[in-house]
Amino acid sequence: QVFLNNQYSEYKNGLLNGLLKKYNSAMVIEQYTYVDGLKEGPYFARHFAKNILIKGNFLKDKPLEGDFFDSNESIINYINGERKQGKRNGKFEYFIAYEVSAAVNFVNGLKSGNARFYVVSGKRNLDSTFYNAIYKEDNPFEGTFFKTVKDEYDRNKLVKNEYKNGKSNNRIIS
């Protein structure tokens, strides 16, 4: 086990074997599993500037399933070891604000169907809870949604929206 330059690594016989975790302060921003020096199994990465959490699985050091960053920090989706071009399909998880994350379903690149927002209680006086919602044709339709907007000083403000039949009642909560 080695902790150096904000990175925790496990080794066996001189090869990475076990977890490799990269940190930003105390938070893990990337985590990989290694077997005999090769990426094998689950991984995740956080991109704070884009408020994204991506997850995937490796097989013999190659992407197998899930989302992965390329060298330009674009997200590439893999299914059965093959890079998929075109529009996003399936569940995608990302951060909206530091204490709010979302899991949203996509169909042909559009938000569609069930979504879930998770709030960790903190300075914004929100309860730790899940909020369920439904998207219809890429638009909020039913339930509780969260997003950030810029105020007049270019600061992010968290907005909680309650939707009923596609109609909203915006409420800034920070």
Side-chain angles (χ1 to χ4, degrees):
Q1 295 178 353
V2 176
F3 188 83
L4 181 65
N5 296 327
N6 291 324
Q7 182 172 300
Y8 167 84
S9 311
E10 296 176 351
Y11 289 87
K12 181 179 175 185
N13 299 326
L15 296 173
L16 281 167
N17 205 67
L19 293 179
L20 180 138
K21 296 180 183 182
K22 295 180 181 180
Y23 291 86
N24 178 358
S25 298
M27 182 175 284
V28 177
I29 57 172
E30 288 181 66
Q31 181 172 302
Y32 300 87
T33 305
Y34 280 82
V35 176
D36 298 327
L38 302 175
K39 292 175 188 164
E40 185 82 27
Y43 106 104
F44 73 85
R46 289 183 171 99
H47 191 297
F48 290 106
K50 294 182 180 180
N51 291 322
I52 296 172
L53 170 69
I54 62 173
K55 296 178 181 181
N57 281 293
F58 280 93
L59 179 64
K60 297 181 182 173
D61 221 32
K62 296 186 180 182
L64 177 65
E65 298 279 345
D67 294 315
F68 300 82
F69 286 121
D70 69 7
S71 59
N72 297 320
E73 295 187 350
S74 295
I75 298 172
I76 306 299
N77 183 257
Y78 282 80
I79 298 174
N80 293 324
E82 292 185 25
R83 182 178 173 158
K84 296 298 176 186
Q85 299 292 335
K87 299 179 179 176
R88 173 173 301 285
N89 283 293
K91 186 170 131 182
F92 185 61
E93 296 182 31
Y94 59 95
F95 292 102
I96 295 168
Y98 182 73
E99 66 276 6
V100 180
S101 64
V104 178
N105 190 53
F106 282 78
V107 175
N108 294 321
L110 302 176
K111 295 174 185 170
S112 179
N114 294 329
R116 179 173 268 199
F117 297 89
Y118 179 67
V119 177
V120 177
S121 65
K123 64 181 181 178
R124 298 183 204 245
N125 295 321
L126 295 168
D127 294 330
S128 291
T129 191
F130 286 102
Y131 292 89
N132 293 309
I134 298 172
Y135 280 97
K136 187 173 185 181
E137 298 175 357
D138 212 34
N139 295 304
F141 185 73
E142 194 80 35
T144 304
F145 296 79
F146 290 86
K147 67 180 180 180
T148 56
V149 296
K150 297 282 186 181
D151 68 8
E152 66 271 16
Y153 303 106
D154 203 36
R155 296 177 300 205
N156 282 331
K157 295 293 182 181
L158 186 64
V159 176
K160 179 181 177 184
N161 296 303
E162 300 287 337
Y163 277 81
K164 184 89 173 157
N165 293 320
K167 303 223 184 290
S168 164
N169 67 345
N170 287 340
R171 193 179 103 196
I172 295 178
I173 57 175
S174 71

